[in-house]
Amino acid sequence: MQHKMLKLSTLAVLIAGVTQANAAVYKVVEVDSSGHAVSDVIALGYEGKSLAGRVETYAEAIQASPQGENCFDSSSTCIADNSFKVGGESRVGTDGINYREEVAFTYDLYHEVNDLTGFSSFCTSNLGFKTCSKWAEQQYYGLDATEGTPHDGAGYGGLHREHVAWDKRYYANALPLVESSSGSLSNLSRLKTFSAEPGKYDNEAVTQLGSIVSDGSQESANGVVSGIGALEAGTEYTFGVSSSAYFYNGSRYARQFNKRGFINFDTNKFALNPPTSSSTIVDKMGQTVASDAVEFDGKLLVVGSSAFDKANFDDERKLPSSKNDGFGLNQATYKKCGTDGVSFLYSNRECQHAVFATDAAFWVVDGTTAANPEAKFLANRVDKNSNAYAALDPDENDRSFQGAARAVAIVDSKPVVVGYSTDSVGNNSNNNKNADFYAISASIYTPIDGFTLGGDNQWERKLIPGLNIKQGGDRKYRYTIATDINNKNQVVGVAKSYSVDNRSYAETIFVYDNDNKPSNPKMLDSSVDSSVFFSGYNGFAAAINNNSQLVGWIDSETANQVDGRQRRQRAFTYMAGGDVENSPLKANKAWLLDDLTYGSDSVATANNEFRIAHATDINDAGVISATAFKCEGGYKNDSQGAKCSKDEKVVAVKLIPIPGGDIQQRPEDNSAIKRNGASFGLFCLTLLGLIGFRRRK
């Protein structure tokens, strides 16, 4: 029957369809609109060098949303630019080894990626770029190091600066940032942590170290934010990872530890310490990492990792090469760092390079005490046959055990934790005596019967099935890691290929249904959605919210990486469950976020200033934290690989859903996945390794 209310002719309908502005799915909001974070970093100075145009901002975490909030709903109140805080960090140059990782690139069980040769070897064996020598120089000596004499200190960032700090002092190149609101603006502000307070360090260590280097003109502790939130009672918290500040005793600069988790609980600042140990070096210098947190029984459960033993101090690979720097590191002295007392630790520069075996750990925090909380471990370090895992690989004791909790969620009223652990891999995986090497494997930690929050070993560890490091007698993966979990017991993570696939050492994303225990993970490949996933891609699953929306980043082109160059990557999202209500995002589909910021309305026009590189977190309302490339005034056209006529910047952003938005793929250009000739800017080469693992939904 003809619809009697139809008034428009066919021609009129076509005209209306052409002229109506099509809204993007997300609005991109830069989270530093007034430059507060940048000006604050510049004010701290940096070895007398100009920081104009050098400070980048990175987003890592998005504030949790109220239950039932959906920013895709037209009646929602969460569409303001200052909706939901973002946390992250500022960067000046490269960090060398990611501050959120236990070991370099979550791979180096030997602890040998610690100098120029180590970076270069890692890149050649695991990435395969023709540009590995340049990449290694940038990671070790920083950006814009002097050609021919990169050790002269002219570079920005880089691990080398930490190695020479003993004589030359140190300026931090990563500072923790949290969004603060000023009217309708979204501004990043520097977060002060325990690192500037001598009273938060070990008293005996401080006596040996000297005076802390941390004032209004210099910050010597690096720091990054991994999560922000609030308890139901209203107490706000922020957590992440900080290095020790440097201390000066009149003749040398030294620090107590390389990295330690922190939490700011309301106005109180805490270091998240390792457990008290009979080993002096573990007790004083042992590292910790805080990766995620959730409220449980009215308290905050923080999960991450902690050192539990020292690595092999007899192994000369643990010391970086000191070539060209005018000092020597002595292996015999380094060996004594593992056994001698506090005075020896801080009197010898070799001990500044101490490395450790770590395992998945947690802290319970409620802010009622002034003491730094100590770590407890989630599970006993035993295999399925109850054989104990040693701190050092019994078949090759240069390797150390490594484990970490990356995320936690309340599933059926109990906290379930995911991350990775070490597995003994051999010809017979059921017999530890036949093991031939330690390898990092994706793990789930489930509360045991009679679970109580306060004690050690209250979770049972299991390796995720179907991700065996060796399969069919051959090694398939270098490592596997679970990176997040939601309250539906869906686990996401990545598996790094051991062999080359499509001219790449692929890193494939997986989704695992932990309720359906006999099943294997669902690998996100071209059979899932060929518009985003392809053979041999490199991707990362950063977060999954309780609506089963996954975000992360992925190769956006198929250029050869092995004997070629690093591929450009872009942020993506994938629906691992049902549709997102009131949105165009449908189940079992994936999109590059650049396509979801494209349209023909005024918001989409403003969005053309940004290309979304890494999506790092998503809350249940659908707001995404991300790091983007920005071209002031807009890129030359709307295509994903469009050129910028000015210098691109790296900026922290959040993506806020637009009610009624439509999905429209950006125009084709030579950056499309099916092509491999795309060019990319300076920052693409340095983004690898700059953004690490966790944040909080």
Side-chain angles (χ1 to χ4, degrees), residues 593-665:
L593 287 177
D594 280 344
D595 286 333
L596 303 185
T597 64
Y598 172 64
S600 57
D601 64 341
S602 58
V603 172
T605 299
N607 285 351
N608 192 45
E609 284 195 326
F610 304 95
R611 296 293 183 268
I612 313 303
H614 288 176
T616 52
D617 196 14
I618 180 170
N619 64 20
D620 291 341
V623 181
I624 299 169
S625 64
T627 299
F629 299 114
K630 180 181 182 182
C631 180
E632 197 75 46
Y635 287 87
K636 289 187 175 181
N637 57 57
D638 290 323
S639 66
Q640 188 200 97
K643 305 292 185 181
C644 179
S645 59
K646 303 177 182 179
D647 289 335
E648 286 182 307
K649 298 191 298 183
V650 175
V651 297
V653 301
K654 54 186 167 184
L655 277 62
I656 302 176
I658 300 172
D662 298 318
I663 298 175
Q664 302 163 78
Q665 187 172 354

Side-chain angles (χ1 to χ4, degrees), residues 261-284:
F262 74 81
I263 184 163
N264 286 11
F265 205 84
D266 205 357
T267 58
N268 297 319
K269 304 178 180 68
F270 299 102
L272 298 175
N273 285 344
T276 300
S277 171
S278 58
S279 168
T280 300
I281 194 166
V282 175
D283 190 44
K284 306 301 183 186

Side-chain angles (χ1 to χ4, degrees), residues 32 35-43 51 53 55-57 90 177 188:
D32 190 22
H36 286 185
V38 173
S39 61
D40 193 19
V41 174
I42 291 175
L51 290 182
V55 181
E56 303 163 356
T57 56
S90 65
L177 304 176
L188 286 171

Side-chain angles (χ1 to χ4, degrees), residues 440-514:
I440 285 173
S441 298
S443 304
I444 299 174
Y445 298 85
T446 305
I448 62 175
D449 292 339
F451 165 81
T452 57
L453 187 59
D456 281 306
N457 307 318
Q458 295 293 299
W459 282 263
E460 181 181 5
R461 184 200 78 155
K462 79 164 186 179
L463 304 183
I464 295 179
L467 295 176
N468 301 51
I469 296 296
K470 290 181 74 171
Q471 298 182 17
D474 296 322
R475 185 164 185 179
K476 182 174 178 63
Y477 296 120
R478 293 184 183 273
Y479 57 77
T480 63
I481 305 169
T483 56
D484 202 9
I485 182 173
N486 64 14
N487 64 9
K488 296 179 180 178
N489 222 0
Q490 289 176 298
V491 180
V492 298
V494 293
K496 177 73 170 178
S497 293
Y498 185 76
S499 302
V500 174
D501 180 8
N502 194 15
R503 300 299 295 272
S504 167
Y505 292 104
E507 193 158 17
T508 306
I509 297 166
F510 67 79
V511 179
Y512 177 65
D513 182 359
N514 194 38

Side-chain angles (χ1 to χ4, degrees), residues 153-480:
Y156 290 82
L159 185 63
H160 176 262
R161 292 174 53 255
E162 295 183 33
H163 292 174
V164 299
W166 185 270
D167 298 315
K168 300 181 179 180
R169 69 190 301 154
Y170 184 82
Y171 287 76
N173 66 309
L175 297 175
L177 304 176
V178 173
E179 181 179 357
S180 59
S181 297
S182 177
S184 62
L185 298 178
S186 298
N187 304 315
L188 286 171
S189 299
R190 187 161 69 93
L191 182 74
K192 302 292 183 67
T193 74
F194 77 89
S195 65
E197 301 180 6
K200 293 296 184 179
Y201 294 83
D202 179 84
N203 290 334
E204 189 179 9
V206 171
T207 299
Q208 300 293 328
L209 285 165
S211 300
I212 194 168
V213 180
S214 180
D215 56 36
S217 61
Q218 180 182 1
E219 177 59 68
S220 64
N222 291 304
V224 295
V225 171
S226 293
I228 52 179
L231 298 181
E232 289 184 4
T235 305
E236 294 187 348
Y237 60 84
T238 307
F239 60 88
V241 185
S242 174
S243 72
S244 163
Y246 280 84
F247 292 75
Y248 185 58
N249 74 344
S251 62
R252 56 97 181 106
Y253 297 89
R255 57 187 181 185
Q256 185 187 338
F257 44 78
N258 176 267
K259 63 183 70 174
R260 194 152 291 185
F262 74 81
I263 184 163
N264 286 11
F265 205 84
D266 205 357
T267 58
N268 297 319
K269 304 178 180 68
F270 299 102
L272 298 175
N273 285 344
T276 300
S277 171
S278 58
S279 168
T280 300
I281 194 166
V282 175
D283 190 44
K284 306 301 183 186
M285 301 186 75
Q287 70 182 43
T288 68
V289 171
S291 298
D292 200 8
V294 69
E295 183 174 0
F296 185 74
D297 282 351
K299 296 182 180 180
L300 193 67
L301 170 64
V302 184
V303 301
S305 65
S306 172
F308 69 90
D309 204 345
K310 57 185 180 295
N312 184 358
F313 279 67
D314 294 331
D315 181 11
E316 63 183 13
R317 285 176 293 192
K318 306 297 188 285
L319 278 179
S321 169
S322 58
K323 184 179 179 180
N324 296 322
D325 288 316
F327 65 88
L329 296 175
N330 185 277
Q331 182 63 37
T333 302
Y334 183 63
K335 183 177 181 178
K336 295 178 66 177
C337 295
T339 57
D340 281 32
V342 176
S343 177
F344 188 87
L345 286 183
Y346 303 115
S347 299
N348 293 276
R349 71 188 307 161
E350 285 83 357
C351 302
Q352 294 286 292
H353 303 285
V355 288
F356 302 92
T358 68
D359 201 5
F362 71 96
W363 299 262
V364 179
V365 187
D366 62 9
T368 60
T369 175
N372 292 329
E374 291 187 4
K376 297 180 183 296
F377 293 105
L378 269 72
N380 285 309
R381 286 178 289 276
V382 295
D383 66 11
K384 63 183 67 176
N385 297 318
S386 298
N387 295 312
Y389 287 114
L392 302 179
D393 187 337
D395 293 278
E396 189 177 2
N397 69 3
D398 293 338
R399 301 176 193 249
S400 64
F401 187 103
Q402 297 294 325
R406 289 294 182 218
V408 58
I410 303 300
V411 180
D412 296 330
S413 303
K414 291 185 178 180
V416 179
V417 183
V418 300
Y420 69 83
S421 186
T422 294
D423 187 25
S424 290
V425 180
N427 294 326
N428 181 353
S429 61
N430 292 321
N431 188 338
N432 195 47
K433 293 180 180 179
N434 288 339
D436 56 15
F437 61 91
Y438 272 2
I440 285 173
S441 298
S443 304
I444 299 174
Y445 298 85
T446 305
I448 62 175
D449 292 339
F451 165 81
T452 57
L453 187 59
D456 281 306
N457 307 318
Q458 295 293 299
W459 282 263
E460 181 181 5
R461 184 200 78 155
K462 79 164 186 179
L463 304 183
I464 295 179
L467 295 176
N468 301 51
I469 296 296
K470 290 181 74 171
Q471 298 182 17
D474 296 322
R475 185 164 185 179
K476 182 174 178 63
Y477 296 120
R478 293 184 183 273
Y479 57 77
T480 63

